[in-house]
Each structure stands twice: as C-alpha cells, then as structure tokens.
Amino acid sequence: MNAERRLAALRRRLSDEQEGAAFLVTLPVNMRYLTGFEGLFDEGIAAACLVTSDIARFYTDFRYAEAANAAAEGTPWAVHIQKESMYVEVCQELLADGMQTLVIEDSVPFGRFKFLSEQFTGRVTVVSQWIEELRQIKEKAEVEAISRAAALTDAAFDHILGVVAPGMREIDVAIELEGFMRRSGSEGLAFDSIVASGPNSARPHAGVTDRVIGPGEFLKLDFGARVDGYCSDMTRTVVVGAASDRHRAVYEAVLEANLAAIAGARAGMAGSEIDAVARTLLTAKGYGENFGHGLGHGVGLAVHELPSVGRMSRPPVRSGSVITIEPGVYLPGFGGVRIEDLVVVEDGGVRLLSHSSKDLIEL
Ligand code: ZN
Ligand code: ZN
C-alpha cells in the first residue's frame, strides 16, 4: 500500500472542504486503509488517526504499541501511545495548538460525538464518506488481493460440489465451505456465509440453519474469503437432485440477467444504469417484483462498500472499482436463485474475478 498517496489524497479533501481543520478518523476499516495497521480490535476505542495539514498521528494504547510502531515504519504516520484517555488527549493537544475545527466521520457513535463535543471547545463537524470515496478506486495490489480471495472462493465452491448430498444439513455445508477456505489460506470469513436450501433460498439474506437439504431443491451458497484484509463475495445456486422445469426457468432468467449486466457494464455508467440492465430483463420475464434488492455493491476491505449499484445509485461507477453483479429471483415457498460475480471495472468494461461455472449444476 502507498500510505503517502492515501494521506495526501485525504489532506487534499480536508484542505478543499475544511481548510485548517483537524480530521479524526476512528472507523477501523478506514484506519487500516490509511495506515496499513491490522490490529484494531476494539472499534474506535483502541485507536484513532489524527490528520491535519502537517500532522499524521496514529493514537493507540499500550496493547498495540509494538505492532503499531512496526506498521508505521517507513510511513508518514507517527505513533502516539495514549496515557489515559485517547480522546481527551487528542482534544487537549488540538486546543493547545489553537485548532478551531475538529472534523469527524458520520459513523461515529452518538455517545462519542457527545463526548468529543464536550471536550473540544472549538467546532466539531461531521462529514460523510471521505475515506470511503478514496477506497472505492482500487490500486493494483488491492485488486490482486481481492483476486486471491476470489480464487479461494472458487476453490471452495469446487470443493463443496463434491461434498453436498441430500440429507446433509445447511450448517454442515457451511462448516465445510468455511473450513476449506480457512485451511486454504483465508484470514477469516469476509462475512457470515449463506447456505440456504429449498424454501429458505427464497430469503435473500437467509443465514444458515440446521435444515436438512432434500432432493429436488435449490441450494444457494453466498460466501467469501479474506486475503490481506480484502474480501471476496460470490453466490452460486445449484439444484440438489434433478432440476424441474420451474427450477430451470428461474435459473435461466437470473443467469441471463447476470450475463447481460456483465456484458453491459462500463466505467462511467451510474450504478442505477448497470442495475437497470439486469432489472429490465427480469421485469420483462415477469420477475420484476421478485428481484427486490440492488444489483450489486463495491467490495474491498469491507464486503459492502462504495460504489453502490442499485436502483437509486446515481453516482458513476468509476474505473478501478471492484463491484458485485448479483441479480436474484426469490419465489416464496419455492426457492430462490442468485448468481453473484465479483468484477473489476476497467475502461473497456468489466473483468471477472469470480471464475466458478454458472451452468445449472445438478448434484
Ligand atoms: Zn454475496
Ligand atoms: Zn454481495
């Protein structure tokens, strides 16, 4: 990662919009993006990054001192180990420097906002998504980490096809998928897996239950690995046993929407325009009401990040973003199909990072 470049980009935003102010970053994923430091376990309590036009200070406590100093080496960040209360120290130091404005992220919990407003006698102002907007354009190394996470996801899917059989429980499939990814080098899970069989597959964000998977049912698998902090996210839906005509009709409609959106997506299109490519097709087939979520989302250090690719997503999706394309059709009581790929947006179109087969698989 290039900590200098990321810090410089943030300082430009700060001087453009709040000249002379200090920006306090406390969202762990944003601190990791800025500093590369991985060990932020207690959200907003164990660490904070303070940025002004000439300060780049990483506050943490005794528990993380050694790791923070090692991570900061060769970066513009100076590590500051808090003595008693990190936020009190930050506010006192800024006031002593004559700082008038403290900028914080809108993800700050209300209790912390209140505390900072009491401690900092200048102006406390809240901004939205400054670092999230930087994060949405990936560097080459970030795309490579996501690709490696996607490759682990592909390998896990390939593995699970040889394991799933009627009579297994959803939870057994999830444990096998997750164990495979961990054994193959995933740092953890990108998010809680979805393994949803039969009628459960009609719930877009079903979790994992102890339901026994029966023959002639959809099995929807949505899961992701993590490499160097970066997530992957993929969904495949298979039929356990033989597919019926109804299974095939739904599957083919969703696959057509997935392929059309991948073929049609271009850098510069609004998220809503990419969404519309898939939605128009599914609506024409009578499934418009059954596709009740957005087409996709950005993926990076967080599994859901900018840019958003939904019906209301007006901002353009820019070259260098990594997004999902995940149309789905959900038929209550019967089942649902989602086919989700991870892609990187490039100038000429999108490049697939997920490589698992999308043919209808009958197990
Ligand atoms: Zn997913
Ligand atoms: Zn997703």
Side-chain angles (χ1 to χ4, degrees), residues 274-291:
I274 302 175
D275 177 279
V277 175
R279 196 168 301 280
T280 306
L281 268 170
L282 289 173
T283 302
K285 288 185 157 55
Y287 293 125
E289 294 296 310
N290 305 97
F291 175 29

Side-chain angles (χ1 to χ4, degrees), residues 7-331:
L7 180 62
L10 182 60
R11 279 184 169 142
R12 268 197 300 280
R13 183 84 186 247
L14 184 62
S15 77
D16 285 353
E17 297 194 25
Q18 296 285 343
E19 204 183 351
F23 187 29
L24 186 67
V25 180
T26 56
L27 193 71
V29 66
N30 285 342
M31 288 189 271
R32 174 161 188 172
Y33 179 77
L34 289 175
T35 65
F37 181 56
E38 298 168 24
L40 307 171
F41 303 111
D42 306 324
E43 178 155 354
I45 297 169
C49 291
L50 183 69
V51 177
T52 70
S53 57
D54 53 7
I55 292 172
R57 200 177 288 154
F58 180 45
Y59 287 82
T60 189
D61 68 36
F62 173 79
R63 294 171 297 166
Y64 305 104
E66 195 181 330
N69 279 312
E73 227 178 340
T75 78
W77 291 91
V79 176
H80 180 102
I81 304 303
Q82 70 173 64
K83 294 179 189 75
E84 284 177 34
S85 164
M86 181 170 71
Y87 293 126
V88 172
E89 287 165 35
V90 167
C91 292
Q92 285 173 351
E93 285 162 13
L94 289 174
L95 291 167
D97 283 351
M99 192 63 68
Q100 303 289 320
T101 304
L102 177 61
V103 178
I104 59 174
E105 300 162 290
D106 64 357
S107 53
V108 164
F110 185 71
R112 192 186 307 151
F113 170 71
K114 200 161 157 277
F115 184 77
L116 285 167
S117 302
E118 287 159 6
Q119 293 294 320
F120 188 77
T121 49
R123 192 168 64 100
V124 178
T125 187
V126 178
V127 298
S128 269
Q129 303 193 313
W130 280 8
I131 299 173
E132 287 79 353
E133 285 176 15
L134 297 178
R135 279 169 42 205
Q136 71 178 322
I137 308 297
K138 268 66 182 179
E139 294 159 7
K140 193 161 166 271
E142 294 181 286
V143 175
E144 282 166 8
I146 297 169
S147 296
R148 279 183 280 140
L152 289 179
T153 310
D154 286 329
F157 179 65
D158 192 49
H159 168 75
I160 209 68
L161 292 179
V163 173
V164 172
M168 277 180 85
R169 298 176 307 162
E170 292 174 1
I171 183 70
D172 299 319
V173 175
I175 290 168
E176 189 59 34
L177 262 180
E178 294 170 359
F180 181 91
M181 290 192 289
R182 295 301 305 272
R183 288 191 298 274
S184 307
S186 177
E187 284 154 11
L189 303 174
F191 55 93
D192 289 339
S193 310
I194 296 172
V195 174
S197 61
N200 288 354
S201 62
R203 299 178 186 166
H205 268 203
V208 177
T209 73
D210 60 1
R211 185 180 185 279
V212 174
I213 303 165
E217 291 184 345
F218 276 134
L219 179 65
K220 185 179 71 194
L221 307 163
D222 185 353
F223 56 102
R226 203 180 268 274
V227 171
D228 291 344
Y230 286 85
C231 300
S232 61
D233 183 9
M234 182 178 83
T235 308
R236 288 294 182 266
T237 307
V238 300
V239 175
V240 179
S244 65
D245 289 346
R246 195 178 185 196
H247 285 126
R248 287 182 194 285
V250 182
Y251 193 89
E252 276 160 25
V254 175
L255 179 58
E256 196 181 322
N258 166 287
L259 295 172
I262 288 169
R266 292 279 176 279
M269 284 169 83
S272 57
E273 291 177 281
I274 302 175
D275 177 279
V277 175
R279 196 168 301 280
T280 306
L281 268 170
L282 289 173
T283 302
K285 288 185 157 55
Y287 293 125
E289 294 296 310
N290 305 97
F291 175 29
H293 56 72
L295 181 65
H297 53 85
V299 175
L301 287 171
V303 71
H304 289 139
E305 60 178 51
L306 294 178
S308 78
V309 186
R311 274 168 291 188
M312 309 301 283
S313 312
R314 302 282 173 252
V317 173
R318 291 157 62 195
S319 183
S321 286
V322 172
I323 60 171
T324 65
I325 302 281
E326 50 179 307
V329 166
Y330 310 92
L331 305 172

